[in-house]
Amino acid sequence: MNHMSKLDDFIQHAVSSVPVSGTSLIASLYGDALSHRGGEIWLGSLAALLEGMGFGERFVRTALFRLNKEGWLDVARIGRRSFYRLSDKGLRLTRRAEHKIYRAEQPAWDGKWLLLLSEGLDKSTLNEVKKQLIWQGFGTLAPSLMASPSQQLADVQSLLHEAGVADNVICFEAHTPLALSRAALRARVEECWHLSEQNLMYESFIDSFRPLLPLLREASAEALTPERCFQIQLLLIHFYRRVILKDPLLPEELLPPHWAGQTARQLCINIYQRVAPGALAFVSEKGETTVGELLAPGSLYWQRFGGLTSA
């Protein structure tokens, strides 16, 4: 069996291993391939990018319709063509997600904790705010007390203001004299942040994508076509994103010894570096916007995972 068909088998298996949600796949595509290139593309281009993976135009149209309805994409019609671009909301959410997705290491930590005590909030508001805070890396230490070791006060303040609850949440900055409470704290952290579940998700990601590395190492230049590179990169980020976005990104000192997050990140980086040039070329070839070609990638694109090479 040649490397071309082995790579295709891997791609097909990844596509069919779990039901793929169109909105989620296309959100991954916008975030990974388009957000730093103007964030806009013709519907026909999206269909051309995805048809080789077995997704038809109807799949693409339905997903775009939903993302537009959710306010994540705006649509412009020129003649009979529809062009979909990231809305302000879509761009904001994409930027927030990529801060987690493309980082090269765990955040550094100064030993400080941010504690939030919520007072007098009705249950549904509290739950909504909690959801957002958990996404930002907070854990629930006690029913009305949330904590994070890696959040900046300014970011949290703007989130509380946006949610309209800044008056009902009291912020504290705290230190723990670690030596005395390290063991108890570690156990509490593991439980509060559901780290065992998160770890299982990382292990499953590693099991799925590790077999791809030897295939990429052995593949000839002819086998690694721009289209295959694009398909691999999209699936890689699509699956990695589902795991990393649930990761509270706790500092290394607080993580359990068997933590698989770093291994998963390194695996993702190694694969991404290998396929990124081809994927970029394929998107350039197929992508069309209201003004013609896609923009060249901005500088933030080249800084992903600690720096991509353009070769």
Side-chain angles (χ1 to χ4, degrees):
M1 194 193 237
N2 67 25
H3 294 309
M4 293 200 187
S5 42
K6 278 186 183 171
L7 285 171
D8 288 339
D9 281 353
F10 179 88
I11 290 163
Q12 277 317 309
H13 178 71
V15 167
S16 56
S17 62
V18 290
V20 173
S21 137
T23 49
S24 180
L25 186 73
I26 285 181
S28 299
L29 195 160
Y30 268 88
D32 187 58
L34 302 172
S35 66
H36 288 295
R37 307 193 65 180
E40 171 189 271
I41 199 165
W42 172 45
L43 184 152
S45 298
L46 279 178
L49 285 170
L50 292 174
E51 70 182 343
M53 294 167 90
F55 299 113
E57 195 172 327
R58 184 140 150 241
F59 173 93
V60 174
R61 278 180 187 280
T62 308
L64 289 171
F65 175 76
R66 287 201 184 123
L67 288 165
N68 176 232
K69 219 167 126 183
E70 287 166 21
W72 209 84
L73 291 176
D74 292 330
V75 61
R77 293 192 173 83
I78 297 181
R80 299 181 58 182
R81 292 176 152 205
S82 299
F83 296 83
Y84 286 84
R85 119 185 327 261
L86 281 168
S87 65
D88 288 347
K89 172 188 172 179
L91 198 56
R92 198 170 67 243
L93 294 174
T94 300
R95 290 279 185 265
R96 217 163 82 187
E98 65 185 14
H99 174 67
K100 275 187 160 184
I101 297 168
Y102 300 106
R103 61 185 312 130
E105 53 198 17
Q106 291 295 112
W109 190 41
D110 57 5
K112 243 192 230 158
W113 285 83
L114 200 53
L115 302 178
L116 301 180
L117 184 65
S118 53
E119 282 306 314
L121 280 178
D122 70 87
K123 234 188 169 106
S124 67
T125 313
L126 182 62
N127 286 343
E128 193 42 53
V129 174
K130 264 189 175 173
K131 249 199 299 209
Q132 290 189 48
L133 289 167
I134 287 168
W135 199 90
Q136 293 274 45
F138 276 82
T140 308
L141 280 185
S144 58
L145 183 66
M146 296 192 80
S148 167
S150 50
Q151 277 306 310
Q152 300 302 314
L153 186 59
D155 296 343
V156 175
Q157 261 179 323
S158 66
L159 188 148
L160 297 173
H161 275 291
E162 263 177 54
V165 298
D167 299 350
N168 304 83
V169 176
I170 304 164
C171 292
F172 298 96
E173 282 191 320
H175 275 275
T176 48
L178 265 183
L180 300 173
S181 45
R182 182 173 277 141
L185 185 62
R186 269 215 160 145
R188 193 83 188 98
V189 161
E190 195 153 343
E191 196 184 311
C192 286
W193 276 266
H194 308 294
L195 295 187
S196 303
E197 288 164 44
Q198 181 72 34
N199 216 32
L200 283 172
M201 288 165 67
Y202 273 131
E203 283 167 358
S204 147
F205 170 81
I206 293 165
D207 290 345
S208 302
F209 280 89
R210 198 158 29 198
L212 184 57
L213 269 184
L215 297 183
L216 290 174
R217 263 199 296 270
E218 294 153 16
S220 63
E222 295 78 53
L224 265 185
T225 61
E227 181 164 20
R228 282 198 186 93
C229 287
F230 166 79
Q231 292 173 352
I232 288 167
Q233 182 169 308
L234 177 58
L235 288 167
L236 175 78
I237 288 300
H238 181 60
F239 282 94
Y240 184 60
R241 182 172 174 254
R242 286 159 53 163
V243 187
I244 188 79
L245 290 186
K246 292 191 170 80
D247 186 337
L249 286 183
L250 298 172
E252 235 157 293
E253 297 94 308
L254 296 171
L255 292 171
H258 55 278
W259 188 244
Q262 287 91 321
T263 307
R265 181 185 291 123
Q266 197 53 54
L267 174 64
C268 184
I269 291 173
N270 292 344
I271 295 171
Y272 198 92
Q273 295 275 19
R274 185 89 169 87
V275 295
L280 196 63
F282 188 65
V283 174
S284 296
E285 180 200 326
K286 299 289 180 195
E288 201 181 317
T289 72
T290 49
V291 293
E293 290 180 11
L294 280 166
L295 298 177
S299 61
L300 283 172
Y301 167 81
W302 299 109
Q303 289 163 29
R304 286 177 175 178
F305 293 125
L308 298 174
T309 50
S310 50

